[in-house]
Amino acid sequence: QVQLVESGGGLVQPGGSLRLSCAASGNVILLYNMGWYRQAPGNQRELVASTVRGGSATYGDSVKGRFTISRDDAKNMVYLQMNSLKSDDTAVYYCYADQWNRGYWGQGTQVTVSS
């Protein structure tokens, strides 16, 4: 009922910045949690940042102070601004949203941090 499409991934040098976007479509009203998760090869999927409708954001410990999540409910968009990128940030980044206790995932976008 909800489709999520990420964009903005790519190759960036250590210390650089990247901005990810996620567009929600379909039955997009009253999306509650919206956020970003990432998964590197051999690792479990981990929380990067999440925000609750009408509330504040939560960040994973490894990205606090470097990443910023924002959402625009009028445009059905959620963003992730990533600064001071490190090699350890290399992963596939997935957009997440839930609605009426059902969660949805995007297809993922690759972020590679390498010099």
Side-chain angles (χ1 to χ4, degrees):
Q1 291 185 298
V2 176
Q3 296 81 46
L4 304 172
V5 179
E6 304 96 333
S7 62
L11 176 65
V12 64
Q13 295 183 356
S17 297
L18 208 60
R19 187 172 188 253
L20 305 183
S21 299
C22 174
S25 61
N27 186 19
V28 297
I29 62 170
L30 298 178
L31 296 174
Y32 190 59
N33 292 291
M34 296 190 74
W36 296 89
Y37 292 72
R38 68 186 183 187
Q39 188 167 21
N43 293 347
Q44 294 183 330
R45 190 170 297 186
E46 65 174 347
L47 172 71
V48 177
S50 182
T51 182
V52 178
R53 190 180 187 91
S56 60
T58 299
Y59 295 93
D61 289 339
S62 64
V63 307
K64 288 180 179 178
R66 300 188 296 121
F67 292 8
T68 303
I69 188 171
S70 60
R71 64 190 287 177
D72 186 339
D73 290 321
K75 297 181 179 179
N76 304 312
M77 298 285 291
V78 63
Y79 307 93
L80 184 68
Q81 178 66 47
M82 304 185 292
N83 298 325
S84 302
L85 284 161
K86 308 173 182 179
S87 296
D88 289 346
D89 295 319
T90 296
V92 177
Y93 284 70
Y94 297 90
C95 182
Y96 171 85
D98 59 36
Q99 177 192 67
W100 308 115
N101 298 315
R102 173 168 288 186
Y104 301 90
W105 294 94
Q107 82 287 349
T109 185
Q110 177 71 47
V111 172
T112 302
V113 184
S114 180
S115 59

